[in-house]
Each structure stands twice: as C-alpha cells, then as structure tokens.
Amino acid sequence: MAHILVIEDDVQFRHMLVQMLQQDGHEVATAGDGVEAMHLLLELRPALIVTDILMPNMDGVETIMALSRLGDGTPVVAMSGGRRSVTTEFNLDSAALLGATATLAKPFSRTDLRKAIEKALA
C-alpha cells in the first residue's frame, strides 16, 4: 500500500479519512493546511497527496501549484465541497487543470475514495 499525505483543515473529516485509509492498509500522515504540508513534504516523500481545496493559510489550489513547481510528480487527489455546487465544480475543475490527478466532490463514498486513489497511483 501507499504512503499518503492528507491535507485537510476539518479535524473530524481528516480523522475519518485517516481511519479509512489506514483500514485499507495505507500509511498516512496529515497536515492542517498547505503551509504545514509543504514543511512535511520533503521529509515524508509521500506516494500520494489527498488535499482539500478550501483551507486557511495556503489553500489546495495554491498547494497544487507549489507541488507542480517542485516538479517531483507526486500525484494529487483534490477534494472540495459540502454540496455539489457551481463553486465546488469550479474548484475541482481548477485543481484538475493545475495538475490534480483525480478529484472528489464532498460528500463522497469510501468506494469513490478508493477509485480516486487507484487512478492517482496508476
């Protein structure tokens, strides 16, 4: 299984993601925003990054852009939402255009998460 960095500012949602990923056999590290993630990135060298889009300090779009500048090719799964809205779709489309390998609109199922991870790691 993969070493995954989860970037999510909502503590409860982050905890749920960690539990699901660990139950699937992944090794998981976490960050509360993009700034924290960038500090951890070089140390951790994850195989995959799962990031929220709307976060304080450094949002997911800024994080994806910073990862792209690093050029290490780490695949990214971007997630956003709450409700399927125009804003959510715009955020996810923007993330995909900037290099996210897969996107997920919240709320999503465990199966959706697994499929996004499989796609990103393929």
Side-chain angles (χ1 to χ4, degrees), residues 62-113:
E62 293 170 315
T63 302
I64 292 168
M65 289 171 34
L67 292 167
S68 180
R69 284 190 297 272
L70 287 176
D72 70 353
T74 305
V76 175
V77 173
M79 54 188 177
S80 185
R83 285 177 267 137
R84 291 193 186 269
S85 67
V86 172
T87 304
T88 297
E89 289 179 26
F90 175 79
N91 289 336
L92 293 175
D93 288 346
S94 296
L97 287 171
L98 292 169
T101 310
T103 60
L104 291 167
K106 295 176 185 176
F108 50 82
S109 69
R110 183 180 210 132
T111 301
D112 293 336
L113 178 62

Side-chain angles (χ1 to χ4, degrees), residues 16-36:
M16 181 195 66
L17 284 173
V18 168
Q19 284 185 322
M20 287 192 307
L21 293 168
Q22 287 176 336
Q23 288 170 358
D24 285 348
H26 299 289
E27 183 178 336
V28 184
T30 64
D33 60 38
V35 172
E36 186 180 350

